Amino acid sequence: MQNDRDLPGHFAAGLSKAAVSVWAKHDRSTEEWLPLWRHLADAGAVAGRLWDRWLPDQVKQLIAEPLPGGLEDGRRLAVWLAATHDIGKATPAFACQVESLADAMRSAGLDMPLQSRMPDRKLAPHGLAGQVLLRDWLVERYGWKRSATYQFTVIAGGHHGVPPTHESIRDLDSHSHLVRTPACAALWQQVQWEILDRCAEACGVVGSLPDWAAVKLSQPAQVLLTGLVIVADWIASDADLFPYSPEAWGRSESERADRAWHALGLPSPWRAREFTGEAEQLIFSRFRLPEGARVRPVQERAVEVARSMSAPGLMMIEAPMGEGKTEAALAAAEIFAARSGAGGLYVGLPTMATSSAMFPRMVQWLERVPGEQADALVRSVQLAHSKAALNEDYARLARSGVRRILAVDVDGRADDYRPQEDRTVSSAAMVAHHWLRGRKKGMLASFVVGTIDQLLFMGLKSRHLALRHLALAGKVVIIDEAHAYDTYMNSYLDRVLSWLGAYRVPVIVLSATLPAGRRRELAEAYAGTAEPSADFARIEAARDYPLLTAVEPDRLHAPETVEASGRRADVHVERLDDDLTVLGDRLAEELVDGGCALVVRNTVDRVLDTAAFLRGRFGAENVTVAHARFVDLDRAAKDADLLDRFGPPEPGKDRRPSGPHIVVASQVAEQSLDIDFDLLVSDLCPIDLLLQRMGRTHRHRRGEGQSDRPPRLRTARCLVTGVDWTTVPVEPVSGSVSVYRRHALLRSAAVLEPYLSGAADTGHVVRLPEDISALVQQAYGVEEVGPSPWQEALRQARRQQDLHHADQCKRALDFQIAAEGRPGRPLLGWLEAGVGDADDTRKGRAQVRDSRESLEVLVVQRRPDGALATLPHLTRGRGGLELSVDSPPDRKLAQVVAGCGLRLPFAFTFPKVLDQAIEELEKDYIAAWQTKESHWLAGELILVLDENCRRRLAGFDLRYTPADGLEVTRAQ
């Protein structure tokens, strides 16, 4: 490499007239263009700066590992690959596209047919053509074996998002006229070789290429280099940063690249400093703990184990709800990052709600984490889900102008989404200013909180997948609520973990209720082995709790029991008949002296039916409904209200209802909200989820011995319903079976039976945390559980479940990337038969979850006079605002409408109903909202309700109220 670590002098110096005439970029609006030599020099210079100033050490080390010159070779290779990525544009198939520029090339001797006379030119996309040219150049100039070239040249082939296949290479090889016009093939080759020779010289790889011929480049390194070249190409293709005007070409490579880099302002990666003090000091210095708080044993031990590992790897933390697992993970992540060279952090959670709740916690932690140097104080932060911009913590941070946390970006609405076609059309706004904006680039921010989908997409065959791999390969990854995913999602998660292990990415998995078999599967996936082993058997055999398991790159730690913190609860469990009158009578009895009860139903329809009945019994003012079928603004307001009224006790602040109050909720009450009730009533559900729900009763101490609770409710109780208890075996209600399947529900009922009947050693009492692991392992194990008369039904349910699991695994493989191949094996065909850009569409989001495509709408109201308006009940001056259909709403009004997003329920996921609903909704298409100035609303489906907030859609009657959300009934 050159001494100044940059491309030397003027890249074009000494190039022939024909080589200088080859074009790469053209602006049809201005007729300005960019020569190929200029773009290649720009891309190479950008790649060098990305390597020096942006790429985490963790990524550099993996790329450089097989190269004889180590990190210096790694940099040379990255710059050279970027500087040659578009050589395929020096072909007739590409150059013929702009006639004026093609004519100039013809004048220089590079003859080519008109574009209209090359009907087969699609066989030679310039990425593929570039790969073929690089292959032949390496063979001819440096004597490489053809087979050895592909592991390097596939980066050029795949720089537009999908690596070529063997078949596409064979097709192009048999259509050589697309690469060189036969009548002047010698000149075409001379120019192509001249440019490639100049790239090799400028990048300082002339002496390295003979040595690299023997290198076996790992597939992870190939992916990372592809991602890096894509980033370099995108930056170098930005005409605002790298102008097309001829006067701008004349600047030196260094000057042109320096100006662009300064204007771009990409934050440097996180460079964590290893904390050398005691674990307790680390925890107290990073988190705002309440006065008198103590560091929990699981937090202290996680820090100690992270330090004791010979190299960062996988850590699994199993501990009860409320034990501070998140704080333990963030503290361990800081240690892992300092030791591995990770440049950031990704936290993946099950839902948008849990992700949004986690975002401010990460930001608060980040504010207290020192950087290695001053420039590390500028950090990019991302909330990665489609509703991120509606998160108030994000919005406040973006408005504040605080420099310490910069470049807070979102997965935005900047593209035009075509619902009927289920595709996204990029708008001009996508390349406007801050470079990290957008779905494909947002994950490249240093610190990201998002849904687990964003991580699982790493295993989905989709366009530009290398970018997502590059983004995650440089981070520490935290996976929260690891018990919350089904077989289908776990199949993707295991594949992703295998790649994270190959990248040596430190991973921390958190769960309160992780089945032992799943613990083993996670360890095996990360370690990259499916071979039976006594070590992995020991991981599965561990039954203690809390538990900490560590997997290093080359060895496993025996699972380690961690002392519990002393926080505990005894929950008395009972059966309750599934009858609304019985429920009402029991609640009246329990709440006679006041108190707050939580009723959790497994379906929204059961929530609404139960709430309607209880309002008649207790009064509408004493019943609150919570589920996912509210518009986003209402959902956020409800979450805030629940937290305010039922959250942790705070001195001087107590809005907890004094009289009886009942919250009827769906599964939204299981996660993310720190809420505390005196009594729990729950539909039967899988045992791990039921234990999560139990964590919502007596979650906090209210007075000595819970003396601040009503006398009848000072003992924590869970009444289990949603079941016909008179049958053998018990029969869960059909809605629960649809959601969770029969096997999981029967196993849950079976392990609860001793407690429900009082035959357990503790009678009716489930001890938290002591009984958590035992109950989970029994429910998810293979041993017989439950009364003898249940066994045949349980065996039949297991057979059905096994078939379902097998089907899920098979379907999950349809669009899943393969496991890492052997070193030296090229990525050819890596994404063959993939899903395109489906991660940006309904179909893509459904790919990594075993669910049908769902339909999301923005809800507005049509007044009696025909005018459109925002929903009338919205608070803070946002309700009943008139919406023009002749011009885009202003930004604030558009945000209000965007905040009224709602996902239609399961009935609208059936293809026929889905298509009919889209067809009807598109009749309310508002052309004035489909502009780049209206990026909040462009492409969104609008659900227009009448003056009574009602509507018929695809054979269903819809009604929306602020109290109950969306009610859906089949039209009569």
Side-chain angles (χ1 to χ4, degrees), residues 282-615:
L282 176 60
I283 299 294
F284 274 107
S285 67
R286 299 296 186 261
F287 305 103
R288 298 168 186 167
L289 301 179
E291 188 177 346
R294 294 183 301 110
V295 173
R296 303 273 167 75
V298 73
Q299 296 170 337
E300 187 171 15
R301 193 62 194 132
V303 170
E304 292 168 352
V305 170
R307 285 175 170 166
S308 71
M309 295 171 68
S310 61
L314 171 69
M315 178 185 291
M316 291 183 276
I317 303 174
E318 299 171 59
M321 302 71 76
E323 280 291 286
K325 293 189 293 295
T326 299
E327 289 77 11
L330 290 171
E334 185 177 344
I335 293 167
F336 280 164
R339 298 183 63 202
S340 71
L345 175 72
Y346 178 79
V347 185
L349 299 106
T351 65
M352 292 184 192
T354 51
S355 302
S356 294
M358 179 63 199
F359 181 69
R361 295 175 68 183
M362 187 189 74
V363 169
Q364 289 166 10
W365 164 75
L366 185 55
E367 290 280 5
R368 300 166 74 96
V369 174
E372 183 183 60
Q373 52 199 35
D375 67 355
L377 297 180
V378 179
R379 293 168 176 162
S380 54
V381 179
Q382 164 92 353
L383 179 57
H385 61 66
S386 60
K387 299 181 187 297
L390 304 177
N391 179 275
E392 289 195 8
D393 292 290
Y394 152 72
R396 186 163 47 249
L397 193 59
R399 288 193 304 265
S400 68
V402 175
R403 286 193 57 78
R404 177 171 169 80
I405 298 186
L406 198 67
V408 182
D409 299 304
V410 300
D411 282 344
R413 302 170 181 271
D415 290 354
D416 178 16
Y417 183 49
R418 307 285 174 82
Q420 188 70 53
E421 299 172 56
D422 191 25
R423 65 188 181 96
T424 302
V425 182
S426 294
S427 72
M430 281 299 287
V431 295
H433 192 50
H434 202 283
W435 195 83
L436 283 177
R437 184 158 312 208
R439 281 182 284 264
K440 289 188 177 180
K441 294 182 286 188
M443 288 289 286
L444 294 166
S446 295
F447 296 90
V448 184
V449 177
T451 59
I452 192 68
D453 308 60
Q454 299 295 332
L455 181 65
L456 299 185
F457 283 142
M458 188 181 178
L460 179 67
K461 289 182 179 178
S462 55
R463 192 175 176 88
H464 292 114
L465 182 62
L467 275 183
R468 193 171 296 271
H469 279 237
L470 178 66
L472 288 160
K475 292 180 172 64
V476 178
V477 172
I478 297 174
I479 301 169
D480 201 359
E481 308 281 5
H483 55 272
Y485 313 120
D486 63 14
T487 301
Y488 189 93
M489 295 176 74
N490 281 334
S491 175
Y492 272 97
L493 181 55
D494 289 350
R495 182 51 48 85
V496 167
L497 276 175
S498 73
W499 276 89
L500 292 176
Y503 289 125
R504 298 181 200 131
V505 169
V507 176
I508 302 167
V509 173
L510 308 179
S511 178
T513 52
L514 189 65
R518 186 67 193 132
R519 183 193 309 134
R520 175 177 181 159
E521 290 168 356
L522 291 169
E524 288 176 335
Y526 185 82
T529 180
E531 297 297 322
S533 134
D535 289 332
F536 287 112
R538 281 196 295 273
I539 286 178
E540 183 175 4
R543 290 294 186 270
D544 293 326
Y545 189 79
L547 197 67
L548 216 160
T549 307
V551 179
E552 294 180 13
D554 299 316
R555 73 184 184 98
L556 307 179
H557 287 234
E560 175 181 331
T561 307
V562 183
E563 179 187 352
S565 68
R567 291 179 78 257
R568 61 181 314 282
D570 290 340
V571 181
H572 187 97
V573 296
E574 301 177 34
R575 301 183 185 92
L576 185 71
D577 288 343
D578 188 52
D579 179 275
L580 290 177
T581 301
V582 171
L583 172 65
D585 290 345
R586 183 62 182 269
L587 289 174
E589 178 185 338
E590 298 293 348
L591 303 178
V592 65
D593 299 320
C596 304
L598 172 65
V599 180
V600 183
R601 298 304 209 188
N602 291 339
T603 66
V604 175
D605 287 344
R606 280 176 62 81
V607 169
L608 296 176
D609 289 345
T610 302
F613 177 84
L614 293 178
R615 286 190 182 117

